[in-house]
Amino acid sequence: MRNSHHNGRTGAAPQPRAVNRGGVVWMTGLSGAGKTTISQVLAARLGELGVPYELLDGDALRENLSRGLGFSKEDRDTNVRRVGYVAGLLARHGVLAIAALISPYRAVRDELRASVHNFIEIHVDCPLEELVRRDVKGLYRKALAGEIANFTGISDPYEPPLAPEVRVDTSTESPDDSAARILATLERLGLISLDRSTYAHQ
C-alpha cells in the first residue's frame, strides 16, 4: 500500500491533511486514451496528501492476476471482476484503490458499482482520430485494416458509461487538470476530506 512521506523540513508551511474513507476509482476508456497517465498523476497527488492508496494497472494485473485469459467477452468480464474484487477488498480497509482498465462492457462495470464499496467511475474519453494519431505502434491502423481481431473500439465493442462520476476528454484536457477534477469529485463525494484546521491558528 502506498502512502506519502513527509519531508520533515522545519519552518515549512503546513499542508492540509487528507482523511480518507476508502473507495475505488475505476478508470475506463479505450486503449491509449490516457487512463494510466491520469491514474499515475492522481496517485502522486494522493500520496502528497497522505491518503492511503493502491494503483492497480490493467496490464500488470493481466500478467499477474489473470494470466491465461484471452480477449473474449467472457474473459474480459472475468478479468474485470477479479480486479474489482481486489479493489473492493482494499476499499473496505480504508484504501483508495485506483484501477485503470479498458473494461469495455457496461454491465460488468455496473455489477461492480452495485457490489464495491464507494465505487467512482471515471470515463477517460478521447476521439478515435486522436487515438490513431497518438498510436506510435500503429495498432489502431492495423485494427481498422482488419489485421487485428478483437480490438476494443474497432472490431470489439466499447460501451461508454452512461452516468460516470467524472468524464475527462484527454484530447482537450491535461492529465494534471483531469486529476484535479477527479480529486475535487472525491472530496465532494466525501471519499477524501481535506483537514484544513492546520491553517486555523496561522
Side-chain angles (χ1 to χ4, degrees):
M1 184 179 70
R2 283 61 175 270
N3 208 327
S4 64
H5 298 280
H6 299 288
N7 55 31
R9 289 178 299 169
T10 58
Q15 295 298 309
R17 182 176 61 86
V19 180
N20 177 57
R21 288 175 46 212
V24 175
V25 178
W26 193 275
M27 298 203 189
T28 174
L30 291 173
S31 176
K35 299 181 298 299
T36 298
T37 300
I38 294 170
S39 65
Q40 289 170 343
V41 174
L42 177 63
R45 184 67 182 125
L46 290 171
E48 291 168 2
L49 291 169
V51 175
Y53 75 89
E54 191 65 47
L55 182 56
L56 305 173
D57 182 72
D59 291 338
L61 288 165
R62 257 200 176 268
E63 177 65 23
N64 294 285
L65 188 67
S66 296
R67 183 179 296 180
L69 290 180
F71 291 93
S72 67
K73 182 182 187 304
E74 293 75 16
D75 281 0
R76 289 179 190 270
D77 285 352
T78 296
N79 181 54
V80 168
R81 288 189 182 103
R82 287 179 182 178
V83 176
Y85 177 74
V86 172
L89 288 177
L90 291 165
R92 277 168 30 204
H93 289 279
V95 177
L96 199 60
I98 307 167
L101 290 85
I102 294 174
S103 43
Y105 298 109
R106 190 178 298 129
V108 74
R109 296 195 310 265
D110 288 346
E111 183 183 304
L112 293 184
R113 179 183 289 279
S115 62
V116 170
H117 180 67
N118 289 336
F119 184 85
I120 307 299
E121 191 172 33
I122 313 297
H123 181 201
V124 183
D125 198 8
C126 187
L128 180 60
E129 53 270 25
E130 174 63 14
L131 294 174
V132 173
R133 188 192 68 79
R134 292 179 186 176
D135 181 18
V136 294
K137 295 181 180 179
L139 298 178
Y140 274 98
R141 288 186 176 85
K142 290 180 180 178
L144 287 165
E147 297 173 21
I148 301 178
N150 305 119
F151 195 92
T152 302
I154 306 295
S155 51
D156 256 15
Y158 176 76
E159 300 169 354
L162 297 178
E165 278 71 18
V166 183
R167 177 186 172 274
V168 300
D169 183 344
T170 61
S171 69
T172 61
E173 188 170 287
S174 74
D176 284 335
D177 288 342
S178 297
R181 288 211 293 123
I182 294 167
L183 276 173
T185 299
L186 294 177
E187 185 171 19
R188 177 175 59 81
L189 294 174
L191 268 75
I192 62 173
S193 176
L194 295 183
D195 179 5
R196 296 180 175 85
S197 62
T198 50
Y199 295 114
H201 304 291
Q202 295 298 305

